[in-house]
Amino acid sequence: MSSTLVISVIVGLIVILLFVGAPVKPMRFIAHSTIKLGIGILFLFFFNVFGGAIGLHIPINLFTAAVSGFLGLFGLGSLAAIHLILL
């Protein structure tokens, strides 16, 4: 797929949503989920920065970001515990 096709499809969807109107609940769910994933990525990044000094490293991928984002610090602690126990 060329990049111009992808960009034109995205712009087309945005224009359609502007004219038709987006349903509020699904858009709110997508927005909250995206924010939580972003927070999870930040948690993992800072954990890797500070945990690297003592030899802890949790890879940043979609699963670990979702766990740490949706469960917060408890999710990050559980990922660290799983890393220590299994690896």
Side-chain angles (χ1 to χ4, degrees), residues 33 37-38 40-41 44 59-70 79:
S33 299
L37 281 175
I41 290 170
L44 288 170
I60 299 174
N61 55 34
L62 184 61
F63 176 74
T64 57
V67 169
S68 65
F70 285 101
L79 287 172

Side-chain angles (χ1 to χ4, degrees):
M1 269 183 138
S2 68
S3 61
T4 55
L5 179 66
V6 173
I7 291 172
S8 62
V9 167
I10 291 173
V11 169
L13 287 173
I14 290 172
V15 168
I16 289 171
L17 285 176
L18 285 175
F19 283 120
V20 175
V24 177
K25 256 189 180 178
M27 295 304 283
R28 185 178 297 154
F29 175 74
I30 291 170
H32 285 290
S33 299
T34 305
I35 290 170
K36 287 186 182 264
L37 281 175
I39 290 171
I41 290 170
L42 286 175
F43 277 164
L44 288 170
F45 173 75
F46 286 116
F47 180 81
N48 287 335
V49 168
F50 296 117
I54 57 174
L56 287 175
H57 173 75
I58 299 173
I60 299 174
N61 55 34
L62 184 61
F63 176 74
T64 57
V67 169
S68 65
F70 285 101
L71 297 179
L73 293 177
F74 294 111
L76 189 63
S78 66
L79 287 172
I82 289 170
H83 176 75
L84 287 173
I85 293 171
L86 295 179
L87 300 177

